[in-house]
Each structure stands twice: as structure tokens, then as C-alpha cells.
Amino acid sequence: MSVTSLARQESISLDEFRHGMRRLTAGVSLVTTSSSGEKFGLIATSVSSLAAEPPSLLVCVNRSASSHDAILQAGYFAVNVLREQHDDLCAQFSSPTRRAERFQSGEWQTLNTGAPVLADALVSFDCQLEKTVEWNTHSVLLARIVGIALPGEATAPMVYFNSGFHSLG
């Protein structure tokens, strides 16, 4: 098939895309920031290393997410990689009806930027936003890592698969 033939093909349906993406296992992260004295956060599975020099991450955030604008306004955020025991945090930060409960459980601290960092996360990356790329419904955040917390052992990550949160154990 030529490149021209590929370019002419119709896109897959939204339903096909969603069903396919459910089969892509991903780590689960809690992306947090603070803006005007208020803390914000969301669950994300679209987090990836971008480069080692300088250490940086790529994070995709839906522009309709309640934390989206706060992250852009603050210009910094933390990526807290969750452990299997963080299922209640996943529920709190995934549900709009539980928004008032966010940050009420867990031990929170800060590193360099002031973004909330979960003390018992698998790892937390403190990030300075460097560039934002708008892509349809999402903002792709390119960020330089300015701090890191590596508490405890590297065991039992939370993963997202087939529309649910799971452990590897």
C-alpha cells in the first residue's frame, strides 16, 4: 500500500478507538498542581518519558478536565506514579462527585515547585511546564523535571487495563 493510499483511508470510529485503547495497559499517575492557594489533581494514563537530557516528561490532559486550566496557569505540576493500594485515591480523583474529597486522604508534601506530592507514591516527578501543544481535545504538556521523590521500594504499581484499575501482583 502506498503512502497516498494510506492518507485516503477513513479514520476509525471513536468506539473502535476506545475498545482498542482499553487493551493498552498503562501505568496510573496522579497529576497535581496548586494555583491561587487551591490544590488540583487528575488521574492520567498518558504520561511518558520525553528525554533524559534534560530530564523531561510528556503528559496529555483533556482540556475539559477541571484541573487543566489550573495546571496551565500555575506553570508547574507533579506526576505521582501510583501504587496498587491507591485505589481509593483513583476513585476520588476520577469522580467529579468526589471532588471535595481530593487531598483529604494521603500524606502530601511539596518539592521544588510547590505542587502537591504524594508521600507514598511509587515515584513523584516535580515538573516545570516548558511547552504546551494543543491537539484536538487535549493539551500535550512538555515539562522539565526539577525534582524527584523515590520513597520506599519499587513494587506493586497501579495499572489501567480494560476500563479498570488493577495491580500486577
Side-chain angles (χ1 to χ4, degrees):
M1 204 178 268
S2 71
V3 174
T4 306
S5 298
L6 287 174
R8 290 186 189 148
Q9 288 183 346
E10 299 256 342
S11 180
I12 63 171
S13 72
L14 182 58
D15 195 44
E16 288 173 313
F17 174 76
R18 287 179 175 159
H19 283 295
M21 291 307 295
R22 287 180 186 142
R23 297 180 183 190
L24 177 64
T25 304
V28 180
S29 296
L30 176 52
V31 179
T32 57
T33 195
S34 58
S35 180
S36 302
E38 189 176 351
K39 295 176 184 174
F40 298 87
L42 59 94
I43 296 295
T45 55
S46 295
V47 175
S48 181
S49 63
L50 180 60
E53 293 183 21
S56 49
L57 293 177
L58 177 149
V59 180
C60 299
V61 177
N62 193 310
R63 292 199 316 251
S64 69
S66 61
S67 300
H68 176 271
D69 292 347
I71 292 169
L72 295 185
Q73 288 169 358
Y76 60 83
F77 56 89
V79 174
N80 301 278
V81 180
L82 298 181
R83 296 177 185 268
E84 68 179 356
Q85 72 261 23
H86 292 129
D87 53 337
D88 193 49
L89 280 175
C90 286
Q92 287 173 359
F93 281 86
S94 296
S95 172
T97 61
R98 295 185 68 186
R99 192 169 287 140
E101 298 173 44
R102 297 176 182 178
F103 300 101
Q104 288 183 356
S105 59
E107 182 183 335
W108 298 94
Q109 55 195 26
T110 59
L111 295 176
N112 298 325
T113 65
V117 171
L118 184 61
D120 66 342
L122 193 57
V123 60
S124 295
F125 300 100
D126 196 20
C127 300
Q128 185 69 46
L129 183 59
E130 296 288 324
K131 184 173 184 172
T132 303
V133 178
E134 301 301 322
W135 183 257
N136 296 315
T137 58
H138 284 65
S139 292
V140 180
L141 311 179
L142 309 177
R144 185 171 35 89
I145 301 169
V146 296
I148 189 168
L150 292 159
E153 294 290 318
T155 59
M158 174 77 66
V159 295
Y160 186 80
F161 174 73
N162 202 22
S163 299
F165 300 110
H166 306 279
S167 67
L168 292 179

